[in-house]
Amino acid sequence: MGNYNSFYCLQRRSNEPRGQRLDLIGNEQARHHGIKTVNVQKNCEFSSSQGSVLCLCIITWNMNGKLSTEDFAAIVGREPRFDLLAIGLQEVPRHNIAQLLQSALTETHSLLGEATMQSLQLFLFGRKNSEIHMKEMKVDKHAVGGCGGFRRRKKGAVAIYININGVRMVFVCCHLSAHADKVEKRNSQCRNISHTLFSKDRNPYSRPLHLTVWLGDLNYRIHGINTLLVRDLVQRNLLSLLRNKDQLLQEAERGLVFNGYCEGTLSFKPTYKYNVGSSDYDTSYKIRVPSWTDRILFKIDSGAGIDAILHSYESMDFINNSDHKPVGAHLCLKVNNVQMSL
């Protein structure tokens, strides 16, 4: 149903005269410009007098099957002023993660919703005593194979659709196939996830999303360059020389995934693979090439009447209990009330 790049949230049949299909990856017939890199602006210039302001904190972390309650407190407790927290986790151990997160946020935020599929989990928290009003929420999941069962490391995606103050948003937390030579497989998985999520929820009165966010271990690698040279460039903070070797940016530029999405500048060190318990890159016999596997991408509907400022996009190098570093973004939205009421 539909082209292979279409995402359907509250979707409808293509021959129905009313409503619109919601596009998450990008329209295959559109002109492709790749992923737009946006700069971080430290200060918020939005005024609530001309519209409502919604501040989002987005975090992704591959936990590598290990748990530390201190890490959760450190990750989510650094900036408690955000209105909405979306935290996506991969390779989650067998623990009640929602309870642990809520304990870390008990004074400031409450759990709005969650979507889980074994080791792949996504949670949304809203700020207490705020003007946030949740009008609707749906969850879905889609497995694409990979390690499961005994190792309990699912590949695929979990997603939450939510309407907050009239702003229609979808958050997709994914874990795609590993290894540098699996780039076409990752592209296919993105398209498959986009085609499948929420495909059972057909609504002839559905309207386009205002905001779509993909977060997770996308597993795209730095490719075509020796691991020792990569490490040397990272040590010398010459990250700009590595960005054109990033598979995700390359595939988006080819028009295969995430056309029209935005991402902050990759100004932090590659987030994988580290020796557990340290900030040293892999010293095993595989000496894996450091890569930006953990990403946060977002797309805002151009006709939504929403302005956005990206306040931060960074890794959390102080977390050492996994072979991945968590990545966080702070996104601030100003919603034009006149536009949103249409």
Side-chain angles (χ1 to χ4, degrees):
M1 183 182 300
N3 68 62
Y4 64 84
N5 273 340
S6 294
F7 173 83
Y8 302 87
C9 175
L10 303 175
Q11 83 168 15
R12 52 184 306 282
R13 291 184 177 90
S14 59
N15 61 353
E16 290 175 336
R18 302 183 67 177
Q20 299 184 45
R21 288 180 291 174
L22 299 178
D23 182 16
L24 184 111
I25 292 293
N27 191 318
E28 64 175 341
Q29 296 178 349
R31 182 177 179 182
H32 296 288
H33 297 284
I35 294 172
K36 178 182 178 181
T37 299
V38 297
N39 294 324
V40 169
Q41 300 183 39
K42 295 296 184 182
N43 299 319
C44 181
E45 300 175 352
F46 290 157
S47 170
S48 59
S49 62
Q50 297 178 339
S52 61
V53 178
L54 187 67
C55 292
L56 284 65
C57 180
I58 306 160
I59 297 171
T60 179
W61 186 27
N62 184 319
M63 299 178 66
N64 192 33
K66 299 175 175 59
L67 178 68
S68 169
T69 55
E70 292 80 8
D71 285 346
F72 276 141
I75 289 172
V76 303
R78 298 189 310 154
E79 192 175 0
R81 293 174 294 174
F82 47 80
D83 299 303
L84 191 67
L85 164 67
I87 178 165
L89 304 170
Q90 309 86 44
E91 298 191 16
V92 177
R94 293 179 183 271
H95 291 273
N96 189 335
I97 301 300
Q99 182 178 1
L100 293 174
L101 287 171
Q102 184 62 85
S103 296
L105 293 162
T106 185
E107 296 183 1
T108 57
H109 292 73
S110 58
L111 181 66
L112 298 179
E114 60 184 285
T116 63
M117 184 172 62
Q118 293 187 19
S119 62
L120 189 56
Q121 303 183 10
L122 173 64
F123 305 92
L124 285 182
F125 290 85
R127 184 161 55 90
K128 294 180 178 179
N129 303 319
S130 71
E131 305 243 341
I132 286 183
H133 302 290
M134 183 175 67
K135 296 183 178 181
E136 184 182 17
M137 185 173 66
K138 294 178 181 290
V139 301
D140 204 0
K141 60 185 177 181
H142 178 67
V144 295
C147 294
F150 179 74
R151 294 185 65 189
R152 201 176 169 268
R153 298 189 176 187
K154 294 290 288 187
K155 295 295 195 296
V158 292
I160 298 177
Y161 163 84
I162 191 168
N163 184 326
I164 294 285
N165 296 352
V167 182
R168 298 180 294 276
M169 299 175 277
V170 163
F171 296 87
V172 180
C173 173
C174 69
H175 192 186
L176 306 181
S177 290
H179 307 304
D181 61 344
K182 301 297 183 182
V183 62
E184 296 295 340
K185 187 173 184 179
R186 287 189 282 276
N187 292 347
S188 176
Q189 289 172 344
C190 281
R191 295 190 291 263
N192 195 17
I193 290 167
S194 298
H195 181 82
T196 305
L197 285 175
F198 298 107
S199 62
K200 298 179 290 296
D201 296 314
R202 300 187 182 96
N203 185 341
Y205 303 103
S206 65
R207 300 170 63 188
L209 295 171
H210 297 122
L211 171 69
T212 309
V213 178
W214 276 69
L215 60 152
D217 182 359
L218 278 67
N219 252 323
Y220 288 91
R221 306 302 175 95
I222 293 174
H223 189 54
I225 183 170
N226 181 277
T227 184
L228 297 180
L229 179 56
V230 171
R231 294 167 191 233
D232 179 63
L233 292 174
V234 170
Q235 186 174 15
R236 292 159 56 191
N237 199 30
L238 297 175
L239 300 179
S240 61
L241 300 179
L242 294 178
R243 288 195 284 267
N244 65 353
K245 297 294 184 180
D246 176 72
Q247 288 179 334
L248 178 56
L249 297 180
Q250 290 174 345
E251 296 305 295
E253 187 64 29
R254 291 173 60 197
L256 297 178
V257 289
F258 295 111
N259 178 49
Y261 270 71
C262 297
E263 182 182 26
T265 304
L266 293 170
S267 59
F268 50 87
K269 296 189 298 183
T271 55
Y272 174 84
K273 174 179 171 83
Y274 287 87
N275 292 331
V276 175
S278 77
S279 289
D280 299 324
Y281 284 117
D282 179 29
T283 56
S284 73
Y285 71 96
K286 294 182 179 180
I287 54 170
R288 295 172 179 84
V289 179
S291 297
W292 289 293
T293 57
D294 310 278
R295 311 288 277 268
I296 299 171
L297 309 169
F298 64 95
K299 185 177 184 179
I300 297 175
D301 177 27
S302 60
I306 295 178
D307 296 321
I309 290 177
L310 184 65
H311 288 295
S312 67
Y313 187 46
E314 59 189 0
S315 64
M316 304 177 195
D317 290 341
F318 57 90
I319 302 297
N320 294 323
N321 285 305
S322 172
D323 54 356
H324 291 251
K325 299 296 184 183
V327 171
H330 181 187
L331 185 66
C332 194
L333 307 177
K334 185 183 78 170
V335 181
N336 185 305
N337 292 326
V338 176
Q339 293 267 359
M340 292 299 295
S341 65
L342 297 177

